[in-house]
Amino acid sequence: MPVNAPTTTSTPPSRGILLVEEYPALGVAISSALRKFAPLHGVQVAHSFADAETLAEAMQPELFLLDLDPPPFGEIAFLDKVKKRFPEARVLVIAAGTSPEVHAARGTAGAIQFIEKPFDLAEFGAAIQALVGPWAGPPAGGVRGTLRDLNVIDVVQLKCLALSTAIVRLEASAKRSGEIHFLKGEVTHAIAGTLTGLAALEEMDSWQSPVLRETDPLEESITTIHLPWPKLVLDLVRARRERDSDAAVSAPVLPRARPVRTGKKILIVDDTEMLLIFVADVLGTADQTFQIITAPTGAEGIRLAASARPDLVLLDYCLTDMTGDKVCRALIENETTARIPILMMSGHLTELARTAETNRNVVAALPKPFLSGALINAVEKALASGLLPKAPPRPPAELKPLATPSPVVAPPAEVPQPNGHGPGSDEIAVEPVQPPPPPVSPAPVAVAPPLPVAVVPSAPPPRPTPVTVVPIAAPPPMMPAPARSLETVAVSPHVRQTEVNVTFALAIVSLQLSSALRMQAAQLQPYDRVVSLELGPRQALAGPALQTGFRLGPITLSRNGRIETLRLIPTRQVVHQPVSGNSLSVGAINFPSLEKERNVQFIAAPEAAMRVRMTAPFELVTVELSAAFEVDAVVLRARGTEVVIHNRDTGPGAPFDLQQIQLDPAAELTALFARSLA
């Protein structure tokens, strides 16, 4: 070989993802997410199918990502070409109007996977990470289809979600051919030889690797299919299963021996199929001895936890049948599952933190979306800690002589304490009562039967009379205390509703000013979710607030989009609601330091965003108590939409009207829009 001959090395092509997206802005956004969830893959963006074919030849993609909004033209011809060139590649389609029933029935066996648009980022990330394998060992979610498996069911879903009006022609070996007619996203007719309708579709679905062609629709076409496309696809999936079952019976195949898994047992509870697959894949690859169990609902997760007794539970917060905190509570209350550690997974960080704080079996939290490395680290750390220690037994009650307790009435208080131990206008106050000393005389003393609750009647006062619950030391066996995990105390409709002023800590996002530089409206968002409460008449909007606050919980809106009820959770965090120090007056919107300036420029600076306080009137609806008679939550009802906004520590503030409220998927406040009433 000549000395100057070039040396070549045979390096395999890099793993790649090819995105077909018409809109450049969306292409940038989606490709950025792809690089986050598949950091080892190269990402290319094509704005047309012609560009995609050229890029595919250069990058050898293992995943094609197609956006069906707006519906493209030529997707059938494109898929038929890349199927021949890249048969092991997979396809993920983003489309609106997908069917969860079809997705659940078909699973991951199809050549094309579908995700609903607009999609949740965590769900999108899980789908990408589940499809870009390969993973060690057999896939956790069963067979994962590739373009080699492209068939009629894929074609029907694709064309119906694209709202197509066209004819797709299929040609198979042995001179077999057929047609599927689409009209505005529905299948109207199918023909294969002498078969028509559903029978023709089932026949074409049995063909292996047919050649696909798309032609223009006929001016007049007969109708042999009258089913909506999701029902039609479900029938095709059912027919395919029966056909595969008959084939398995006629030609039995000895199952391959699977390796015996004797390692830690992990239960994954999540209602997103792709996330279940991804998590199971990652853990199965990290340690092939792991015993992975999956559950799509909270009820199924609770059942499997009791029967399988896993070493760790990976639990999503938002499930279809219940929330993750209820699953945690159910596992704690069962002695069989009370010691199983739980690793929470959720994109709702507020709910994630709250659940971890209030449930001792939650040992770690993993915010969605996450990558495989973070998942493995969190699981290994949780498993290394082992099962939770046993809960300390409750000390037995000290036996003391029973005596008739004296009714005790708690002194009225202006403000209820959020820890549930202080009396208030509409609370249940709990005060221990010491039994009286034994009499000096040895003569027997008659003991009156104890009263579990002593209520002292009084004349109707201007505010509700507090009710005192007097616990009895060592109650007799025939009167056990009722077991309650949560009690809701409602405010009686026969008494004057307790008015509550709630003060929110907000940051100004944007201002609308009049030509006279007076405020017209403001868009605000919470900068601290701890609020302060104050009881009293509505006029007293300013005054001393509670130093121990409440944290904002879910909000319900009325039909016109205004706040209807607000749920507050007690917190030990101290209320701290400073306002920005500047010369901006919310009431009159004047600028003392700029009165002589003709040109005023406003520049937004996030690190120095203006902070204000907003006080809104509510009335008390219910108080939720725990088994220990501590306040778990307070539910308030809004009293109108008028609020007062303060931008300084003193002064009356300015009146505003709340006109728009924006909530996140967990029904928690993210932004609001207020218009000045001055």
Side-chain angles (χ1 to χ4, degrees):
M1 184 176 69
V3 177
N4 59 352
T7 58
T8 60
T9 57
S10 58
T11 58
S14 61
R15 306 165 69 185
I17 301 175
L18 179 55
L19 167 64
V20 184
E21 173 59 64
E22 179 179 342
Y23 295 119
L26 275 179
V28 172
I30 297 176
S31 61
S32 176
L34 290 173
R35 293 185 180 94
K36 172 182 175 61
F37 296 118
L40 300 180
H41 287 66
V43 178
Q44 295 286 347
V45 182
H47 301 300
S48 67
F49 288 126
D51 293 341
E53 291 180 29
T54 303
L55 288 174
E57 289 297 330
M59 69 179 302
Q60 306 289 308
E62 62 179 86
L63 177 64
F64 291 90
L65 181 58
L66 277 62
D67 187 358
L68 291 188
D69 183 20
F73 177 78
E75 71 276 15
I76 293 297
F78 172 74
L79 290 177
D80 190 71
K81 290 179 181 178
V82 297
K83 177 187 70 172
K84 299 173 183 176
R85 185 67 182 85
F86 312 102
E88 300 304 321
R90 298 188 174 100
V91 180
L92 178 63
V93 170
I94 306 172
T98 61
S99 170
E101 294 80 12
V102 170
H103 187 70
R106 196 166 190 212
T108 59
I112 303 177
Q113 297 298 314
F114 296 89
I115 186 171
E116 179 69 20
K117 186 178 183 180
F119 51 78
D120 178 78
L121 187 60
E123 183 179 355
F124 177 74
I128 294 298
Q129 295 177 98
L131 291 175
V132 295
W135 305 102
V143 177
R144 221 154 303 170
T146 67
L147 276 170
R148 188 189 304 276
D149 306 306
L150 189 66
N151 54 44
V152 166
I153 298 179
D154 295 306
V155 171
V156 169
Q157 286 184 266
L158 186 68
K159 298 302 291 181
C160 290
L161 288 171
L163 304 176
S164 294
T165 298
I167 296 176
V168 176
R169 183 174 179 83
L170 293 83
E171 297 178 356
S173 59
K175 298 181 179 179
R176 292 180 296 179
S177 63
E179 292 181 355
I180 308 175
H181 295 218
F182 297 88
L183 177 62
K184 296 180 180 179
E186 294 290 347
V187 179
T188 58
H189 176 56
I191 182 171
T194 59
L195 300 176
T196 60
L198 183 58
L201 286 175
E202 293 179 3
E203 169 65 20
M204 289 184 281
D205 186 44
S206 65
W207 297 349
Q208 297 295 325
S209 300
V211 177
L212 305 177
R213 299 285 186 271
E214 183 174 351
T215 61
D216 294 331
L218 301 175
E219 293 183 359
E220 294 183 3
S221 177
I222 63 173
T223 301
T224 58
I225 297 177
H226 303 274
L227 295 175
W229 76 262
K231 177 65 169 60
L232 179 64
V233 171
L234 288 174
D235 289 346
L236 289 174
V237 171
R238 192 176 302 111
R240 172 179 279 249
R241 287 179 178 172
E242 294 176 356
R243 188 169 60 250
D244 293 343
S245 177
D246 294 340
V249 171
S250 60
V253 178
L254 294 177
R256 289 190 295 177
R258 295 185 178 181
V260 179
R261 297 178 180 268
T262 58
K264 298 290 186 180
K265 193 179 295 182
I266 302 175
L267 171 61
I268 311 168
V269 185
D270 199 294
D271 57 358
T272 302
E273 181 189 18
M274 280 298 182
L275 191 133
L276 286 177
I277 295 172
F278 163 62
V279 173
D281 278 336
V282 170
L283 297 180
T285 302
D287 189 335
Q288 296 189 29
T289 66
F290 279 155
Q291 303 177 64
I292 308 296
I293 310 170
T294 61
T297 63
E300 180 69 6
I302 295 171
R303 186 189 69 79
L304 287 175
S307 60
R309 299 188 181 185
D311 298 280
L312 177 65
V313 174
L314 273 63
L315 175 63
D316 183 24
Y317 182 83
C318 292
L319 300 168
T320 53
D321 58 340
M322 64 180 71
T323 53
D325 57 339
K326 294 182 179 179
V327 177
C328 293
R329 242 178 271 132
L331 296 182
I332 289 178
E333 294 172 357
N334 187 345
E335 293 184 2
T336 305
T337 58
R339 298 182 59 196
I340 300 176
I342 296 176
L343 172 59
M344 290 293 300
M345 308 179 298
S346 178
H348 304 295
L349 302 184
T350 302
E351 302 298 335
L352 200 66
R354 179 190 309 167
T355 304
E357 180 183 355
T358 57
N359 295 277
R360 66 178 183 86
N361 53 354
V362 178
V363 297
L366 190 61
K368 289 182 180 180
F370 48 80
L371 299 179
S372 57
L375 172 65
I376 294 172
N377 292 337
V379 169
E380 289 179 346
K381 184 177 180 180
L383 289 174
S385 301
L387 296 178
L388 300 174
K390 291 185 178 180
R394 295 181 180 179
E398 182 181 357
L399 297 177
K400 296 181 180 180
L402 296 179
T404 306
S406 302
V408 179
V409 179
E414 292 297 324
V415 184
Q417 298 299 319
N419 61 5
H421 296 298
S425 60
D426 298 297
E427 284 192 298
I428 293 180
V430 180
E431 293 189 5
V433 178
Q434 298 295 333
V440 179
S441 173
V445 180
V447 180
L451 298 176
V453 180
V455 180
V456 181
S458 60
R463 57 183 298 166
T465 303
V467 179
T468 303
V469 177
V470 182
I472 306 301
M478 69 284 295
M479 297 181 62
R484 293 188 297 179
S485 60
L486 186 67
E487 182 71 22
T488 300
V489 180
V491 178
S492 172
H494 302 293
V495 300
R496 181 174 61 85
Q497 295 294 325
T498 302
E499 296 182 18
V500 180
N501 296 316
V502 181
T503 300
F504 302 77
L506 304 171
I508 291 183
V509 178
S510 62
L511 296 175
Q512 293 183 8
L513 304 180
S514 66
S515 58
L517 286 183
R518 294 183 178 274
M519 179 184 289
Q520 291 182 328
Q523 182 180 356
L524 309 108
Q525 65 182 16
Y527 80 86
D528 192 341
R529 294 195 172 274
V530 177
V531 300
S532 62
L533 265 67
E534 176 188 15
L535 296 183
R538 185 176 180 182
Q539 296 89 314
L541 289 178
L546 291 176
Q547 293 304 308
T548 302
F550 287 78
R551 183 173 50 80
L552 285 173
I555 295 175
T556 61
L557 301 180
S558 60
R559 292 183 177 180
N560 58 1
R562 308 297 175 90
I563 296 179
E564 184 170 356
T565 62
L566 169 64
R567 193 169 187 266
L568 300 179
I569 314 297
T571 177
R572 297 181 184 274
Q573 185 175 348
V574 178
V575 178
H576 183 63
Q577 298 177 331
V579 294
S580 300
N582 51 43
S583 61
L584 176 62
S585 171
V586 176
I589 304 301
N590 54 66
F591 299 83
S593 61
L594 300 174
E595 288 180 346
K596 297 181 180 181
E597 297 290 336
R598 295 182 178 272
N599 299 320
V600 179
Q601 184 178 6
F602 296 91
I603 301 176
E607 66 275 7
M610 177 179 173
R611 296 175 179 178
V612 297
R613 290 195 299 264
M614 182 188 77
T615 302
F618 291 81
E619 63 185 25
L620 186 64
V621 178
T622 57
V623 178
E624 296 178 359
L625 303 180
S626 67
F629 281 87
E630 293 185 343
V631 176
D632 270 359
V634 175
V635 180
L636 307 175
R637 181 184 294 113
R639 295 173 59 91
T641 61
E642 184 176 344
V643 298
V644 173
I645 294 181
H646 307 257
N647 82 310
R648 53 182 60 182
D649 292 325
T650 59
F656 281 74
D657 181 64
L658 286 183
Q659 297 192 339
Q660 295 179 16
I661 306 295
Q662 181 178 338
L663 307 178
D664 64 12
E668 295 198 348
L669 180 66
T670 58
L672 53 89
F673 183 82
R675 187 170 295 276
S676 174
L677 295 176

